[in-house]
Amino acid sequence: MAPQYAPSLRSRLAPLLIFLQTGFIVIYAFYVEIESNAKADGITFSNFYPEFQDVNVMVILGFGFLCTFLVRYGFSGSGFNFLVAAMATQWAIILNGTESWYYRGKIRIDLRSLVVAEMCTASALISIGAVQGKTNPVHLILMALLEVSGFVLNQWLLQTLLKVQPLNSIMLLHIFGAFFGLMTSWILYRKGCEQQFEKEKFDRKTGLFAVLGTLFLWMFWPSFNSVLVDSRTPGRKLGAVCSTYLALAVSAVTAAAVSVLSSPKGKLNPIHMQSCILAGGVAVGVSMSVVRQPWEAMTIGFTAAVVSTIGLRYLKIHMLRAFECHDTCAVLSTHGLPGLLGWLAHLLLQIKDCDDHTTAIRFAVFHICTLFITIALSLSMGIITGLLLKWNFWRPPQDRKCFDDQAFWEFPHLAVRK
């Protein structure tokens, strides 16, 4: 009798993981050392460690539970998220330390470098949301490594060519991750996706776990936006925390209102509440360096929630039918559109604060170039990644085996006994 589920990935997944992990261990053995100074940039361990933990919770628990909404893909959603995060973070530390290795001969790591690596990993986790359920873990590992490489390259280009501040270049992770994932999903498009896959649905139990992930992200998002803000400038870190919280609060209320208004039955949509209440945190994070007043953050959160909720209601199905882009987790509406809105808010607020037209025009040109480079590189890397993953050598799951844990996980109580 033919096998019921996907063939074993033993010849693909295990060798890939062992090869990559062995290579990382060798690199770390020869080229990586822990920063020995008690302070880095004036920040003590005891002060910075709680913020590192907040980001860690977001990456592992927040994004992990957020991916459990599919009715038969909960183990894969959370388990593969953790696997990708563990691999991508190690790779991001190496890439971010390349400059240190070039000048010092060693890659020196501390809590700040771990946080930056995890934020690069967050960009990859956003990307894999677009192809969730239609790929196997081999695809996701390769996609994450290439996405992190592209994102680090994008940071280097922005900081070298346009002199963009490190914080501003890192916060573009939402835009980069969303468009990278969309392009990869477009290349990997499967015929017949217009009709929803048999198992591409959610129920109350899995939806509750996904809401738990959303709540983790919502609670810790102020730390995510403020962790890299220069604490030596009086009030900047506090301002980032307060602005993020206010934007998140406003986006939660606004998303609920727009969800009810856009529903034919006038009811709250759980998918809207799961994704769109985070839109304010995404948008204000991209524009964080120029947000000065509470009302500015609240306005950004309000607009982001409206754009995100309407986009999730109408844009996802339009992207699928018009552009053949199957965006499983709606990363365009959750991260892409709020990220673009945050970029626009950054431009407008910075121009408002400029004293003369020459400075305003110069900033606008550089700011537009920043977005152009980010989107161009993310789309290019997404195309390259999609073409690589489309190779049948990686054994992509068949249509009837998509969105199913049993294609990859062993469940003894479900085994067929003869």
Side-chain angles (χ1 to χ4, degrees):
M1 185 173 66
Q4 185 178 2
Y5 294 105
S8 171
L9 290 173
R10 180 179 300 169
S11 62
R12 303 292 189 275
L13 180 60
L16 176 65
L17 294 179
I18 293 175
F19 171 77
L20 289 174
Q21 192 58 76
T22 303
F24 290 162
I25 292 175
V26 172
I27 294 175
Y28 277 67
F30 289 98
Y31 300 107
V32 179
E33 64 182 12
I34 298 176
E35 181 65 55
S36 58
N37 293 332
K39 292 187 178 181
D41 298 329
I43 302 174
T44 62
F45 174 86
S46 59
N47 291 335
F48 199 77
Y49 186 72
E51 296 179 306
F52 161 72
Q53 281 288 64
D54 291 349
V55 175
N56 209 24
V57 168
M58 288 184 63
V59 171
I60 304 300
L61 279 181
F63 281 104
F65 279 120
L66 192 65
C67 295
T68 60
F69 67 96
L70 294 166
V71 66
R72 297 188 63 177
Y73 205 71
F75 278 89
S76 299
S78 58
F80 294 161
N81 177 89
F82 177 73
L83 181 63
V84 167
M87 296 297 295
T89 302
Q90 296 178 65
W91 180 233
I93 291 173
I94 295 173
L95 294 179
N96 287 326
T98 302
E99 184 177 358
S100 175
W101 169 80
Y102 181 79
Y103 289 107
R104 302 179 182 179
K106 288 285 186 177
I107 298 174
R108 296 184 179 179
I109 62 173
D110 52 19
L111 284 180
R112 185 181 182 87
S113 60
L114 292 181
V115 167
V116 172
E118 287 205 315
M119 297 182 83
C120 295
T121 298
S123 179
L125 299 180
I126 292 171
S127 299
I128 66 176
V131 298
Q132 183 177 341
K134 302 162 292 184
T135 50
N136 62 37
V138 177
H139 287 133
L140 299 182
I141 292 293
L142 294 174
M143 181 176 176
L145 296 180
L146 290 171
E147 201 278 344
V148 169
S149 302
F151 183 67
V152 173
L153 175 61
N154 184 69
Q155 289 185 72
W156 181 81
L157 290 175
L158 295 181
Q159 295 175 25
T160 303
L161 299 180
L162 302 179
K163 307 301 180 183
V164 177
Q165 295 296 321
L167 175 62
N168 294 337
S169 62
I170 291 174
M171 281 304 172
L172 292 174
L173 65 92
H174 304 284
I175 298 175
F176 191 96
F179 284 96
F180 181 97
L182 287 173
M183 189 54 59
T184 305
S185 180
W186 178 64
I187 297 294
L188 297 178
Y189 177 79
R190 294 168 179 261
K191 296 296 181 181
C193 284
E194 297 83 0
Q195 301 296 324
Q196 191 177 39
F197 284 97
E198 176 188 0
K199 301 161 189 172
E200 190 185 357
K201 53 187 177 182
F202 69 97
D203 62 8
R204 294 174 62 184
K205 183 182 297 185
T206 58
L208 186 60
F209 276 105
V211 170
L212 180 62
T214 300
L215 295 180
F216 272 117
L217 291 172
W218 197 95
M219 289 188 299
F220 292 110
W221 210 288
S223 294
F224 189 82
N225 282 350
S226 65
V227 64
L228 298 180
V229 173
D230 187 4
S231 59
R232 292 171 295 185
T233 303
R236 286 301 299 141
K237 187 176 284 288
L238 176 61
V241 171
C242 294
S243 297
T244 303
Y245 181 85
L246 290 173
L248 286 168
V250 171
S251 65
V253 175
T254 306
V258 177
S259 178
V260 171
L261 291 174
S262 62
S263 171
K265 298 181 179 180
K267 296 183 178 181
L268 289 169
N269 187 311
I271 298 297
H272 293 171
M273 298 307 295
Q274 172 191 330
S275 302
C276 301
I277 65 174
L278 303 173
V282 173
V284 82
V286 178
S287 57
M288 179 58 62
S289 60
V290 294
V291 175
R292 297 287 184 268
Q293 301 297 328
W295 70 267
E296 295 174 347
M298 297 172 75
T299 303
I300 293 172
F302 178 89
T303 311
V306 172
V307 170
S308 179
T309 309
I310 294 177
L312 192 58
R313 169 68 74 178
Y314 303 107
L315 193 58
K316 180 178 179 180
I317 189 65
H318 180 74
M319 292 288 292
L320 177 58
R321 294 178 177 176
F323 300 102
E324 297 186 340
C325 179
H326 187 201
D327 183 5
T328 303
C329 294
V331 298
L332 177 61
S333 300
T334 307
H335 296 275
L337 295 181
L340 291 175
L341 177 66
W343 173 89
L344 180 61
H346 188 284
L347 174 63
L348 296 178
L349 290 174
Q350 185 67 42
I351 290 177
K352 179 178 72 71
D353 294 337
C354 289
D355 297 329
D356 59 277
H357 295 294
T358 303
T359 304
I361 294 175
R362 182 178 301 173
F363 173 81
V365 171
F366 275 81
H367 200 58
I368 293 172
C369 290
T370 298
L371 181 66
F372 176 78
I373 292 175
T374 300
I375 292 181
L377 187 58
S378 62
L379 295 179
S380 302
M381 291 296 296
I383 292 175
I384 295 173
T385 303
L387 294 176
L388 173 64
L389 301 187
K390 205 168 185 179
W391 190 20
N392 286 331
F393 175 79
W394 308 117
R395 294 188 178 180
Q398 301 174 7
D399 289 350
R400 63 188 178 87
K401 299 167 186 173
C402 290
F403 305 101
D404 196 332
D405 282 331
Q406 292 189 50
F408 309 107
W409 298 83
E410 182 179 351
F411 297 99
H413 67 285
L414 297 179
V416 178
R417 302 186 183 280
K418 297 183 179 179

